[in-house]
Amino acid sequence: MSTLQTLDRGLRALELIAMSADGMSVADLAKELDVHRAICYRIVTTLEERSFVARLDDGRIRLGAATAVLAAHFAPQLYGGAAPILQTLAETTRSSAFLSTAQGSECVVMAVADPPTSIIRVGYRVGNRHPLTQGATGIAILALRPPERGEPDSVKQARVDGYIVTRGQIERGTVGVAAGVQLAAGPHVASSVQFSVGVVAIDGLDTGAAATAVVSAARKIGDLLSA
């Protein structure tokens, strides 16, 4: 399959900028894209004219308003399709189920579903965030990425098993099970568009059954987002 190099570079630039919470300089972006700075300036200028990026006073580049517009159109597809999958997962495992994504070095909860008959619920809510290296959801996302030197053993194991089980990493006394969402994308999947699906409960969760249900839900949401 052939691709348009200029378009590919522009999209890659957006991914890199999205992963940088404080913005990026043109020099750093050019280095990451492996292009001459003059080419990078043209890419940035084109994106800036369409409001996909904006320049800060010190020259650094961050995402612009047009990305929020795209996100607003994408949200109904994401939440509308994922909600029944998460609800079924919550009911099957009798645990809080959630969809999370990577934002820079953090894992952020995007959607949550609770089982209707649960008396005790874990305080895991939309907007909660924690380092990617902590908790099942973050580790599951890291396992989607190519292996890195020095990465935690838990990430390596999650990559082999297709899911991860953690205990007490986010909240004391809880157990979490999560799996990364595989997207039908090209060879360069940005960490800024990586998701995981998981459940969290008080100790006593049947982790084997939960892992099977979580992996199935992650596959369904992957199909939804790749459609």
Side-chain angles (χ1 to χ4, degrees), residues 37 40 47 66 87 91 99 101 108 112 115-116 164 172 179 182 184:
R37 192 176 299 188
C40 189
L47 294 172
Q87 190 59 52
E91 293 173 3
L99 175 68
T101 189
V108 181
V112 176
I164 182 67
R172 185 176 180 180
Q182 296 283 353

Side-chain angles (χ1 to χ4, degrees), residues 99-102 107 132 136-148 151 154-160 162-164 178-184 186-197 218-219 222 225:
L99 175 68
S100 301
T101 189
C107 180
L132 285 169
T137 50
I139 294 171
I141 288 175
L142 291 176
L144 293 171
R145 303 178 183 180
E148 294 185 358
E151 68 182 3
S154 58
V155 176
K156 298 176 183 178
Q157 193 62 49
R159 194 176 289 120
V160 172
Y163 66 91
I164 182 67
V181 175
Q182 296 283 353
L183 301 179
H188 305 294
V189 179
S191 61
S192 59
V193 291
Q194 289 176 334
F195 303 91
S196 66
V197 174
R219 186 179 300 114
L225 297 179

Side-chain angles (χ1 to χ4, degrees):
M1 180 184 297
S2 60
T3 60
L4 293 174
Q5 185 180 55
T6 302
L7 177 59
D8 183 72
R9 285 173 173 170
L11 294 174
R12 179 61 179 153
L14 281 176
E15 293 168 350
L16 291 167
I17 294 166
M19 287 187 284
S20 180
D22 298 323
M24 296 185 70
S25 68
V26 172
D28 288 340
L29 182 58
K31 183 177 180 180
E32 291 288 340
L33 293 174
D34 193 24
V35 299
H36 192 277
R37 192 176 299 188
I39 295 176
C40 189
Y41 268 114
R42 290 200 292 271
I43 292 172
V44 169
T45 299
T46 301
L47 294 172
E48 187 178 21
E49 288 179 352
R50 300 301 297 267
S51 297
F52 283 103
V53 301
R55 295 179 195 257
L56 301 174
D57 291 340
D58 61 4
R60 286 179 294 123
I61 308 153
R62 67 179 180 184
L63 292 182
T67 58
V69 175
L70 285 180
H73 288 296
F74 175 65
Q77 173 187 335
L78 173 62
Y79 297 123
I85 298 174
L86 289 178
Q87 190 59 52
T88 298
L89 177 60
E91 293 173 3
T92 300
T93 62
R94 298 181 180 179
S95 308
S96 294
F98 42 85
L99 175 68
S100 301
T101 189
Q103 288 186 6
S105 61
E106 293 185 313
C107 180
V108 181
V109 179
M110 301 182 67
V112 176
D114 289 312
T117 58
S118 176
I119 298 176
I120 301 176
R121 296 183 180 180
V122 180
Y124 214 59
R125 293 292 176 258
V126 173
N128 279 15
R129 59 179 63 222
H130 54 78
L132 285 169
T133 53
Q134 295 179 6
T137 50
I139 294 171
I141 288 175
L142 291 176
L144 293 171
R145 303 178 183 180
E148 294 185 358
R149 180 177 298 179
E151 68 182 3
D153 290 340
S154 58
V155 176
K156 298 176 183 178
Q157 193 62 49
R159 194 176 289 120
V160 172
D161 295 339
Y163 66 91
I164 182 67
V165 178
T166 61
R167 297 182 184 277
Q169 290 196 4
I170 303 302
E171 290 189 29
R172 185 176 180 180
T174 61
V175 56
V177 182
V181 175
Q182 296 283 353
L183 301 179
H188 305 294
V189 179
S191 61
S192 59
V193 291
Q194 289 176 334
F195 303 91
S196 66
V197 174
V199 296
V200 63
I202 304 300
D203 277 334
L205 177 69
D206 182 340
T207 56
T212 299
V214 164
V215 170
S216 176
R219 186 179 300 114
K220 292 176 181 177
I221 291 180
D223 292 342
L224 170 72
L225 297 179
S226 301

